[in-house]
Coordinates of all heavy atoms in Angstrom, one line a residue:
M1 N -38.9 -17.4 -7.9 CA -37.7 -16.7 -8.4 C -36.5 -17.6 -8.2 O -36.3 -18.1 -7.1 CB -37.5 -15.4 -7.6 CG -36.3 -14.6 -8.1 SD -36.0 -13.2 -7.1 CE -37.0 -11.9 -7.8
S2 N -35.8 -17.8 -9.2 CA -34.6 -18.7 -9.1 C -33.4 -17.9 -8.8 O -33.4 -16.7 -8.9 CB -34.4 -19.5 -10.5 OG -33.9 -18.6 -11.4
V3 N -32.3 -18.6 -8.4 CA -31.1 -18.0 -8.0 C -30.5 -17.2 -9.2 O -29.9 -16.1 -9.0 CB -30.0 -19.0 -7.5 CG1 -28.7 -18.4 -7.3 CG2 -30.5 -19.7 -6.3
A4 N -30.7 -17.6 -10.4 CA -30.2 -17.0 -11.6 C -30.9 -15.6 -11.8 O -30.3 -14.7 -12.5 CB -30.5 -17.8 -12.8
D5 N -32.1 -15.4 -11.2 CA -32.8 -14.1 -11.3 C -32.4 -13.1 -10.3 O -32.7 -11.9 -10.4 CB -34.3 -14.3 -11.3 CG -34.8 -15.2 -12.4 OD1 -34.2 -15.1 -13.5 OD2 -35.8 -15.9 -12.2
E6 N -31.6 -13.5 -9.3 CA -31.3 -12.6 -8.2 C -29.9 -12.0 -8.5 O -29.0 -12.5 -9.1 CB -31.1 -13.4 -6.9 CG -32.5 -14.0 -6.4 CD -32.3 -14.8 -5.1 OE1 -31.4 -14.5 -4.4 OE2 -33.1 -15.7 -4.9
T7 N -29.8 -10.7 -8.0 CA -28.5 -10.0 -8.1 C -27.6 -10.5 -7.0 O -28.0 -10.4 -5.8 CB -28.7 -8.5 -8.1 OG1 -29.6 -8.1 -9.1 CG2 -27.4 -7.8 -8.1
M8 N -26.5 -10.9 -7.3 CA -25.5 -11.4 -6.3 C -24.5 -10.3 -6.0 O -24.1 -9.6 -6.9 CB -24.8 -12.7 -6.8 CG -25.7 -13.8 -7.2 SD -26.7 -14.4 -5.8 CE -25.4 -15.3 -4.9
M9 N -24.2 -10.2 -4.8 CA -23.2 -9.2 -4.3 C -21.9 -9.9 -4.0 O -21.9 -11.0 -3.4 CB -23.6 -8.4 -3.1 CG -24.8 -7.6 -3.3 SD -24.5 -6.1 -4.3 CE -23.4 -5.2 -3.3
F10 N -20.8 -9.4 -4.5 CA -19.5 -9.9 -4.2 C -18.6 -8.9 -3.6 O -18.5 -7.8 -4.1 CB -18.8 -10.4 -5.6 CG -17.4 -11.0 -5.4 CD1 -17.2 -12.2 -4.9 CD2 -16.3 -10.2 -5.7 CE1 -15.9 -12.7 -4.7 CE2 -15.1 -10.7 -5.5 CZ -14.9 -11.9 -5.0
K11 N -18.0 -9.2 -2.5 CA -17.1 -8.3 -1.8 C -15.8 -9.0 -1.5 O -15.8 -10.1 -0.9 CB -17.7 -7.8 -0.5 CG -16.8 -6.8 0.2 CD -17.3 -6.2 1.4 CE -16.3 -5.3 2.0 NZ -16.6 -4.8 3.2
K12 N -14.8 -8.5 -2.1 CA -13.5 -9.1 -1.8 C -13.1 -9.0 -0.3 O -13.4 -7.9 0.2 CB -12.4 -8.5 -2.7 CG -12.5 -8.8 -4.1 CD -11.5 -8.1 -5.0 CE -10.3 -7.5 -4.4 NZ -9.4 -6.8 -5.3
V13 N -12.5 -10.0 0.2 CA -12.2 -10.0 1.6 C -11.2 -8.9 1.9 O -11.2 -8.3 3.0 CB -11.7 -11.4 2.1 CG1 -11.2 -11.4 3.5 CG2 -12.8 -12.4 1.9
D14 N -10.2 -8.7 1.0 CA -9.1 -7.8 1.3 C -9.5 -6.3 1.0 O -8.6 -5.5 0.9 CB -7.9 -8.2 0.5 CG -8.0 -8.1 -1.0 OD1 -9.2 -7.9 -1.4 OD2 -7.0 -8.2 -1.7
D15 N -10.8 -6.0 0.8 CA -11.2 -4.6 0.6 C -11.3 -3.8 1.8 O -11.9 -2.7 1.8 CB -12.5 -4.6 -0.2 CG -12.2 -4.7 -1.7 OD1 -11.1 -4.6 -2.1 OD2 -13.2 -4.9 -2.5
E16 N -10.8 -4.3 2.9 CA -10.9 -3.5 4.2 C -10.1 -2.3 4.0 O -8.9 -2.3 3.5 CB -10.4 -4.4 5.3 CG -11.2 -5.6 5.5 CD -10.6 -6.6 6.5 OE1 -9.6 -6.2 7.2 OE2 -11.0 -7.8 6.5
P17 N -10.6 -1.1 4.5 CA -9.8 0.1 4.4 C -8.5 0.0 5.2 O -8.5 -0.6 6.3 CB -10.7 1.2 5.0 CG -11.9 0.5 5.5 CD -11.8 -0.9 5.1
M18 N -7.4 0.6 4.7 CA -6.1 0.6 5.4 C -5.7 2.1 5.4 O -5.8 2.8 4.4 CB -5.1 -0.3 4.6 CG -5.4 -1.7 4.7 SD -4.2 -2.7 3.7 CE -2.7 -2.5 4.7
T19 N -5.0 2.4 6.5 CA -4.4 3.8 6.5 C -3.1 3.8 5.8 O -2.6 2.7 5.5 CB -4.2 4.2 8.0 OG1 -3.2 3.3 8.5 CG2 -5.4 4.1 8.8
A20 N -2.6 4.9 5.5 CA -1.3 5.1 4.8 C -0.2 4.4 5.7 O 0.7 3.7 5.2 CB -1.0 6.5 4.6
E21 N -0.3 4.6 7.0 CA 0.7 4.0 7.9 C 0.6 2.5 7.8 O 1.7 1.8 7.7 CB 0.4 4.4 9.3 CG 1.4 3.8 10.3 CD 1.1 4.2 11.8 OE1 0.0 4.8 12.0 OE2 1.9 3.8 12.6
Q22 N -0.5 1.9 7.8 CA -0.7 0.4 7.7 C -0.1 -0.1 6.3 O 0.6 -1.1 6.3 CB -2.1 0.0 7.8 CG -2.7 0.2 9.2 CD -4.2 -0.1 9.2 OE1 -4.9 0.4 8.3 NE2 -4.6 -0.8 10.2
V23 N -0.5 0.6 5.3 CA 0.0 0.2 3.9 C 1.5 0.3 3.9 O 2.2 -0.7 3.5 CB -0.6 1.1 2.8 CG1 0.1 1.0 1.5 CG2 -2.1 0.9 2.7
L24 N 2.1 1.4 4.3 CA 3.6 1.6 4.2 C 4.3 0.6 5.1 O 5.3 0.0 4.7 CB 4.0 3.0 4.5 CG 3.6 4.0 3.4 CD1 3.7 5.4 4.0 CD2 4.4 3.8 2.2
T25 N 3.7 0.3 6.3 CA 4.4 -0.7 7.2 C 4.3 -2.1 6.6 O 5.4 -2.8 6.6 CB 3.7 -0.7 8.5 OG1 3.8 0.6 9.1 CG2 4.3 -1.7 9.5
R26 N 3.2 -2.5 6.0 CA 3.1 -3.8 5.5 C 4.0 -4.0 4.2 O 4.7 -5.0 4.1 CB 1.6 -4.1 5.1 CG 0.8 -4.4 6.3 CD -0.6 -4.8 5.9 NE -0.7 -6.0 5.1 CZ -1.8 -6.6 4.8 NH1 -2.9 -6.1 5.3 NH2 -1.8 -7.6 4.0
V27 N 4.0 -3.0 3.4 CA 4.8 -3.0 2.2 C 6.3 -3.0 2.6 O 7.1 -3.8 2.1 CB 4.5 -1.8 1.2 CG1 5.5 -1.7 0.1 CG2 3.1 -2.0 0.7
Y28 N 6.7 -2.2 3.5 CA 8.1 -2.1 4.0 C 8.5 -3.5 4.5 O 9.6 -4.0 4.2 CB 8.2 -1.1 5.1 CG 9.6 -0.9 5.6 CD1 10.5 0.1 5.1 CD2 10.1 -1.7 6.7 CE1 11.7 0.2 5.6 CE2 11.4 -1.6 7.1 CZ 12.2 -0.6 6.6 OH 13.5 -0.5 7.1
E29 N 7.7 -4.1 5.4 CA 8.1 -5.4 5.9 C 8.2 -6.5 4.8 O 9.1 -7.3 4.9 CB 7.1 -5.8 7.0 CG 7.1 -5.0 8.3 CD 8.5 -5.0 8.9 OE1 9.2 -6.1 8.9 OE2 9.0 -4.0 9.4
S30 N 7.3 -6.5 3.9 CA 7.3 -7.5 2.8 C 8.6 -7.3 2.0 O 9.2 -8.3 1.6 CB 6.1 -7.3 1.9 OG 4.9 -7.7 2.6
M31 N 8.9 -6.0 1.7 CA 10.1 -5.8 0.9 C 11.4 -6.3 1.6 O 12.3 -6.9 1.1 CB 10.2 -4.3 0.5 CG 9.1 -3.7 -0.2 SD 8.9 -4.4 -1.9 CE 10.3 -3.7 -2.7
K32 N 11.4 -6.0 2.9 CA 12.5 -6.4 3.8 C 12.7 -7.9 3.8 O 13.8 -8.4 3.7 CB 12.3 -5.8 5.2 CG 13.5 -5.8 6.1 CD 13.2 -5.0 7.3 CE 14.2 -5.3 8.4 NZ 13.8 -4.6 9.6
E33 N 11.5 -8.6 4.0 CA 11.6 -10.0 4.0 C 12.1 -10.6 2.7 O 12.8 -11.7 2.8 CB 10.1 -10.6 4.3 CG 9.7 -10.4 5.7 CD 8.3 -11.0 5.9 OE1 7.9 -11.9 5.2 OE2 7.6 -10.4 6.8
K34 N 11.8 -10.0 1.6 CA 12.3 -10.5 0.3 C 13.7 -10.1 0.0 O 14.3 -10.5 -1.0 CB 11.4 -10.1 -0.8 CG 10.0 -10.8 -0.8 CD 10.1 -12.3 -0.9 CE 10.4 -12.7 -2.3 NZ 10.5 -14.1 -2.5
G35 N 14.3 -9.3 0.9 CA 15.7 -8.9 0.7 C 16.0 -7.7 -0.1 O 17.1 -7.4 -0.5
Y36 N 14.9 -6.9 -0.4 CA 15.0 -5.7 -1.1 C 15.3 -4.5 -0.1 O 15.1 -4.7 1.1 CB 13.7 -5.3 -1.9 CG 13.4 -6.3 -2.9 CD1 12.3 -7.2 -2.8 CD2 14.1 -6.3 -4.1 CE1 12.0 -8.1 -3.8 CE2 13.8 -7.2 -5.1 CZ 12.7 -8.1 -5.0 OH 12.4 -9.0 -6.0
N37 N 15.8 -3.4 -0.7 CA 16.0 -2.2 0.1 C 14.6 -1.5 0.1 O 14.3 -0.9 -0.9 CB 17.1 -1.3 -0.4 CG 17.2 0.0 0.3 OD1 16.3 0.5 0.8 ND2 18.5 0.4 0.4
P38 N 13.8 -1.6 1.2 CA 12.4 -1.1 1.1 C 12.4 0.4 0.8 O 11.5 0.8 0.1 CB 11.9 -1.4 2.5 CG 12.8 -2.3 3.1 CD 14.1 -2.2 2.4
I39 N 13.3 1.2 1.4 CA 13.2 2.6 1.1 C 13.4 3.0 -0.3 O 12.6 3.7 -0.9 CB 14.3 3.4 2.0 CG1 14.1 3.1 3.5 CG2 14.3 4.9 1.7 CD1 12.8 3.6 4.1
N40 N 14.4 2.4 -0.9 CA 14.7 2.6 -2.4 C 13.5 2.2 -3.2 O 13.1 2.9 -4.2 CB 16.0 1.9 -2.8 CG 17.2 2.6 -2.3 OD1 17.2 3.6 -1.7 ND2 18.3 1.9 -2.5
Q41 N 13.0 1.0 -2.9 CA 11.9 0.5 -3.8 C 10.6 1.3 -3.6 O 9.9 1.6 -4.6 CB 11.6 -0.9 -3.4 CG 12.8 -1.9 -3.6 CD 13.2 -1.9 -5.1 OE1 14.4 -1.5 -5.4 NE2 12.4 -2.3 -6.0
I42 N 10.3 1.7 -2.4 CA 9.1 2.5 -2.2 C 9.3 3.9 -2.8 O 8.3 4.4 -3.5 CB 8.7 2.6 -0.7 CG1 8.3 1.3 -0.2 CG2 7.6 3.7 -0.4 CD1 8.2 1.2 1.3
V43 N 10.4 4.5 -2.7 CA 10.7 5.8 -3.3 C 10.6 5.7 -4.8 O 10.0 6.5 -5.5 CB 12.1 6.4 -2.9 CG1 12.5 7.6 -3.8 CG2 12.1 6.8 -1.5
G44 N 11.1 4.6 -5.4 CA 11.0 4.4 -6.8 C 9.5 4.3 -7.3 O 9.2 4.9 -8.3
Y45 N 8.7 3.6 -6.5 CA 7.3 3.6 -6.8 C 6.6 4.9 -6.7 O 5.9 5.3 -7.6 CB 6.6 2.6 -5.9 CG 5.1 2.7 -6.0 CD1 4.4 2.2 -7.1 CD2 4.3 3.3 -5.0 CE1 3.0 2.4 -7.2 CE2 3.0 3.4 -5.1 CZ 2.3 2.9 -6.2 OH 1.0 3.1 -6.3
L46 N 6.9 5.6 -5.6 CA 6.3 6.9 -5.4 C 6.6 8.0 -6.5 O 5.8 8.8 -6.9 CB 6.6 7.5 -4.0 CG 6.0 6.7 -2.8 CD1 6.6 7.2 -1.5 CD2 4.5 6.8 -2.9
I47 N 7.9 7.9 -7.0 CA 8.3 8.8 -8.0 C 7.7 8.5 -9.4 O 7.2 9.3 -10.1 CB 9.8 8.9 -8.1 CG1 10.4 9.6 -6.8 CG2 10.3 9.6 -9.3 CD1 11.9 9.6 -6.7
S48 N 7.8 7.2 -9.7 CA 7.5 6.7 -11.0 C 6.0 6.3 -11.2 O 5.5 6.4 -12.3 CB 8.4 5.6 -11.5 OG 8.0 4.4 -10.7
G49 N 5.4 5.8 -10.2 CA 4.1 5.2 -10.3 C 4.1 3.8 -10.8 O 3.1 3.2 -11.0
D50 N 5.3 3.3 -11.0 CA 5.4 1.9 -11.6 C 5.3 0.9 -10.5 O 6.2 0.8 -9.6 CB 6.8 1.8 -12.3 CG 7.0 0.4 -13.0 OD1 6.1 -0.5 -12.8 OD2 8.0 0.3 -13.7
P51 N 4.3 0.1 -10.4 CA 4.1 -0.8 -9.3 C 5.1 -2.0 -9.3 O 5.2 -2.7 -8.3 CB 2.7 -1.4 -9.5 CG 2.4 -1.1 -11.0 CD 3.2 0.1 -11.4
T52 N 5.9 -2.2 -10.4 CA 6.8 -3.3 -10.4 C 8.0 -3.0 -9.4 O 8.8 -3.9 -9.2 CB 7.4 -3.6 -11.8 OG1 8.0 -2.4 -12.3 CG2 6.2 -4.0 -12.7
Y53 N 8.1 -1.8 -8.9 CA 9.1 -1.5 -7.8 C 8.7 -2.2 -6.5 O 9.6 -2.4 -5.7 CB 9.2 0.0 -7.5 CG 10.0 0.8 -8.5 CD1 9.5 1.4 -9.6 CD2 11.4 0.8 -8.3 CE1 10.3 2.2 -10.4 CE2 12.2 1.5 -9.1 CZ 11.7 2.2 -10.2 OH 12.5 2.9 -11.1
I54 N 7.5 -2.6 -6.4 CA 7.0 -3.3 -5.2 C 6.8 -4.8 -5.5 O 6.1 -5.1 -6.4 CB 5.7 -2.6 -4.7 CG1 5.8 -1.1 -4.6 CG2 5.2 -3.2 -3.4 CD1 6.9 -0.6 -3.6
T55 N 7.3 -5.6 -4.6 CA 7.1 -7.0 -4.7 C 5.6 -7.4 -4.6 O 4.9 -6.7 -3.9 CB 7.9 -7.8 -3.7 OG1 7.8 -9.2 -3.8 CG2 7.5 -7.4 -2.2
S56 N 5.2 -8.5 -5.2 CA 3.9 -9.0 -5.0 C 3.8 -9.9 -3.8 O 2.7 -10.3 -3.4 CB 3.4 -9.7 -6.3 OG 4.3 -10.8 -6.6
Y57 N 4.9 -10.2 -3.2 CA 5.0 -11.0 -2.0 C 4.1 -10.4 -0.9 O 4.1 -9.2 -0.7 CB 6.4 -11.1 -1.5 CG 6.7 -11.9 -0.2 CD1 6.6 -13.2 -0.2 CD2 7.0 -11.2 0.9 CE1 6.8 -13.9 1.0 CE2 7.2 -11.9 2.1 CZ 7.1 -13.2 2.1 OH 7.3 -13.9 3.3
N58 N 3.3 -11.3 -0.3 CA 2.4 -10.9 0.8 C 1.4 -9.8 0.3 O 0.9 -9.0 1.1 CB 3.1 -10.3 2.0 CG 3.7 -11.4 2.9 OD1 3.3 -12.6 2.8 ND2 4.6 -11.1 3.7
N59 N 1.1 -9.8 -1.0 CA 0.1 -8.8 -1.6 C 0.6 -7.4 -1.4 O -0.2 -6.4 -1.4 CB -1.3 -9.0 -1.0 CG -1.9 -10.3 -1.4 OD1 -1.7 -10.7 -2.6 ND2 -2.5 -11.0 -0.5
A60 N 1.9 -7.1 -1.3 CA 2.4 -5.8 -1.1 C 2.0 -4.9 -2.2 O 1.7 -3.7 -2.0 CB 3.9 -5.8 -0.8
R61 N 2.1 -5.4 -3.4 CA 1.8 -4.5 -4.6 C 0.4 -4.1 -4.6 O 0.0 -3.0 -4.9 CB 2.2 -5.3 -5.9 CG 2.1 -4.4 -7.1 CD 2.6 -5.2 -8.3 NE 4.0 -5.5 -8.2 CZ 4.6 -6.5 -8.9 NH1 3.9 -7.2 -9.8 NH2 5.9 -6.7 -8.7
T62 N -0.5 -5.0 -4.2 CA -1.9 -4.7 -4.1 C -2.2 -3.7 -3.0 O -3.0 -2.8 -3.2 CB -2.7 -6.0 -3.9 OG1 -2.5 -6.9 -5.0 CG2 -4.2 -5.7 -3.8
D63 N -1.5 -3.9 -1.9 CA -1.7 -3.1 -0.8 C -1.3 -1.6 -1.1 O -2.0 -0.7 -0.8 CB -0.9 -3.5 0.5 CG -1.5 -4.8 1.1 OD1 -2.7 -5.1 0.8 OD2 -0.8 -5.4 1.9
I64 N -0.1 -1.4 -1.7 CA 0.3 -0.1 -2.0 C -0.5 0.6 -3.0 O -0.6 1.9 -3.0 CB 1.8 0.0 -2.4 CG1 2.4 1.3 -2.0 CG2 2.0 -0.4 -3.8 CD1 3.9 1.4 -1.9
R65 N -1.2 -0.1 -3.8 CA -2.1 0.5 -4.8 C -3.5 0.8 -4.3 O -4.3 1.4 -5.0 CB -2.2 -0.4 -6.0 CG -0.8 -0.5 -6.7 CD -0.8 -1.4 -7.8 NE -1.4 -0.9 -9.0 CZ -1.6 -1.5 -10.1 NH1 -1.3 -2.8 -10.2 NH2 -2.2 -0.9 -11.1
R66 N -3.7 0.5 -3.0 CA -5.0 0.8 -2.4 C -5.2 2.3 -2.2 O -6.3 2.8 -2.2 CB -5.1 0.2 -1.0 CG -5.3 -1.3 -1.0 CD -5.2 -1.8 0.5 NE -5.3 -3.2 0.5 CZ -6.4 -3.9 1.0 NH1 -7.4 -3.2 1.5 NH2 -6.4 -5.2 1.0
L67 N -4.1 3.0 -2.0 CA -4.1 4.5 -1.8 C -3.4 5.2 -3.0 O -2.5 4.6 -3.6 CB -3.5 4.9 -0.5 CG -4.1 4.3 0.7 CD1 -3.2 4.6 1.9 CD2 -5.5 4.8 1.0
E68 N -3.9 6.4 -3.3 CA -3.2 7.2 -4.3 C -1.8 7.5 -3.8 O -1.6 7.7 -2.6 CB -4.0 8.5 -4.6 CG -5.4 8.2 -5.1 CD -5.3 7.7 -6.5 OE1 -4.4 8.0 -7.3 OE2 -6.2 6.8 -6.9
R69 N -0.9 7.6 -4.8 CA 0.5 8.0 -4.4 C 0.6 9.3 -3.7 O 1.4 9.5 -2.8 CB 1.4 8.0 -5.7 CG 1.7 6.6 -6.2 CD 2.6 6.7 -7.4 NE 2.0 7.4 -8.5 CZ 2.7 8.3 -9.3 NH1 4.0 8.5 -9.1 NH2 2.1 8.9 -10.2
D70 N -0.2 10.3 -4.2 CA -0.1 11.6 -3.5 C -0.6 11.6 -2.1 O -0.1 12.3 -1.2 CB -0.8 12.7 -4.3 CG -2.3 12.4 -4.5 OD1 -2.7 11.2 -4.5 OD2 -3.1 13.4 -4.8
D71 N -1.5 10.7 -1.8 CA -2.0 10.5 -0.4 C -0.8 9.9 0.5 O -0.6 10.3 1.6 CB -3.2 9.6 -0.3 CG -4.4 10.2 -0.9 OD1 -4.5 11.5 -1.0 OD2 -5.3 9.5 -1.3
L72 N -0.1 8.9 -0.1 CA 1.0 8.3 0.6 C 2.1 9.4 0.9 O 2.7 9.5 2.0 CB 1.6 7.2 -0.2 CG 0.7 5.9 -0.3 CD1 1.3 4.9 -1.2 CD2 0.5 5.3 1.1
I73 N 2.4 10.2 -0.2 CA 3.4 11.2 0.0 C 3.0 12.2 1.0 O 3.8 12.7 1.9 CB 3.8 11.9 -1.4 CG1 4.4 10.8 -2.3 CG2 4.6 13.1 -1.2 CD1 4.5 11.3 -3.8
E74 N 1.8 12.6 1.0 CA 1.2 13.6 1.9 C 1.4 13.1 3.4 O 1.8 13.8 4.3 CB -0.2 13.9 1.6 CG -0.9 14.9 2.6 CD -2.3 15.1 2.2 OE1 -2.7 14.9 1.1 OE2 -3.0 15.6 3.2
E75 N 1.1 11.8 3.6 CA 1.2 11.2 4.9 C 2.7 11.2 5.4 O 3.0 11.5 6.5 CB 0.6 9.8 4.9 CG 0.5 9.2 6.3 CD -0.5 9.9 7.2 OE1 -1.4 10.6 6.7 OE2 -0.3 9.9 8.4
L76 N 3.6 10.9 4.4 CA 5.0 10.8 4.8 C 5.5 12.2 5.2 O 6.2 12.4 6.1 CB 5.8 10.3 3.6 CG 5.6 8.8 3.3 CD1 6.2 8.4 2.0 CD2 6.2 8.0 4.4
V77 N 5.1 13.2 4.4 CA 5.5 14.6 4.7 C 5.0 15.0 6.1 O 5.7 15.6 6.9 CB 5.1 15.6 3.6 CG1 5.4 17.0 4.0 CG2 5.9 15.2 2.3
K78 N 3.7 14.8 6.4 CA 3.1 15.1 7.6 C 3.9 14.5 8.8 O 4.2 15.2 9.8 CB 1.6 14.6 7.7 CG 0.6 15.5 7.0 CD -0.7 14.9 7.3 CE -1.7 15.3 6.3 NZ -3.0 14.7 6.5
E79 N 4.2 13.2 8.7 CA 4.9 12.5 9.7 C 6.3 13.0 9.9 O 6.8 13.1 11.0 CB 4.9 11.0 9.5 CG 3.5 10.4 9.6 CD 2.9 10.6 11.0 OE1 3.6 10.4 12.0 OE2 1.7 10.9 11.1
Y80 N 6.9 13.4 8.8 CA 8.3 13.9 8.9 C 8.3 15.3 9.6 O 9.1 15.5 10.5 CB 8.9 14.1 7.5 CG 10.2 14.7 7.5 CD1 11.4 13.9 7.7 CD2 10.4 16.1 7.2 CE1 12.6 14.5 7.7 CE2 11.7 16.6 7.2 CZ 12.8 15.9 7.5 OH 14.0 16.4 7.5
V81 N 7.4 16.1 9.2 CA 7.3 17.5 9.9 C 7.0 17.3 11.3 O 7.5 18.0 12.2 CB 6.3 18.3 9.1 CG1 6.0 19.6 9.9 CG2 6.8 18.7 7.7
K82 N 6.0 16.4 11.7 CA 5.6 16.2 13.0 C 6.8 15.7 13.9 O 7.1 16.2 15.0 CB 4.5 15.1 13.1 CG 3.9 15.1 14.5 CD 2.8 13.9 14.6 CE 2.0 13.7 13.4 NZ 1.0 12.6 13.7
A83 N 7.6 14.8 13.3 CA 8.8 14.3 14.0 C 9.9 15.4 14.2 O 10.5 15.4 15.2 CB 9.4 13.1 13.2
K84 N 10.0 16.3 13.3 CA 11.0 17.3 13.4 C 10.6 18.4 14.4 O 11.4 19.1 14.9 CB 11.2 18.0 12.0 CG 12.0 17.2 11.0 CD 13.4 17.0 11.6 CE 14.3 16.4 10.6 NZ 15.7 16.2 11.1
Q85 N 9.3 18.5 14.7 CA 8.9 19.5 15.6 C 9.0 19.1 17.1 O 8.8 19.9 18.0 CB 7.4 19.9 15.3 CG 7.2 20.6 14.0 CD 5.8 20.9 13.7 OE1 4.9 20.4 14.3 NE2 5.6 21.7 12.7
L86 N 9.4 17.9 17.3 CA 9.5 17.4 18.7 C 10.7 17.9 19.3 O 11.7 18.3 19.1 CB 9.4 15.8 18.7 CG 8.1 15.2 18.3 CD1 8.2 13.7 18.3 CD2 7.0 15.6 19.2

């Protein structure tokens, strides 16, 4: 059996699961490093779904698209409510 007959598996290195917190933190820091207002840009993305609100610097655009927007919003609301209850 030659190599051409075998099924090859390919796994991207950056396919490691990330939590919403990790995604938002990495994206926030990348936006800040590039001189953008991270809050405005992330809100723009969450409202519109347009990934061009997020810089591609440090793979931030790829990172934010790992999770569905509604999952990110849900996590933000949970954390906000949790913080308000303290």
Side-chain angles (χ1 to χ4, degrees):
M1 182 188 271
S2 71
V3 173
D5 295 331
E6 295 178 28
T7 300
M8 302 298 286
M9 293 292 293
F10 177 78
K11 181 177 180 188
K12 292 180 7 183
V13 175
D14 65 348
D15 274 350
E16 299 167 13
M18 291 176 70
T19 65
E21 180 182 6
Q22 291 171 318
V23 167
L24 290 168
T25 300
R26 285 182 61 170
V27 169
Y28 182 94
E29 291 301 322
S30 295
M31 300 295 289
K32 194 171 166 185
E33 285 178 30
K34 288 302 282 181
Y36 295 108
N37 180 324
I39 301 298
N40 288 350
Q41 296 303 115
I42 293 170
V43 167
Y45 167 72
L46 292 173
I47 290 171
S48 71
D50 184 354
T52 60
Y53 277 97
I54 307 300
T55 182
S56 58
Y57 176 72
N58 283 342
N59 294 318
R61 190 174 296 159
T62 300
D63 288 344
I64 204 158
R65 294 172 79 189
R66 288 173 183 251
L67 299 173
E68 295 293 326
R69 287 183 300 140
D70 59 335
D71 292 336
L72 292 171
I73 293 168
E74 181 180 336
E75 188 66 27
L76 289 168
V77 170
K78 280 184 201 174
E79 291 301 315
Y80 177 82
V81 169
K82 192 186 323 179
K84 285 296 189 178
Q85 291 177 350
L86 294 178

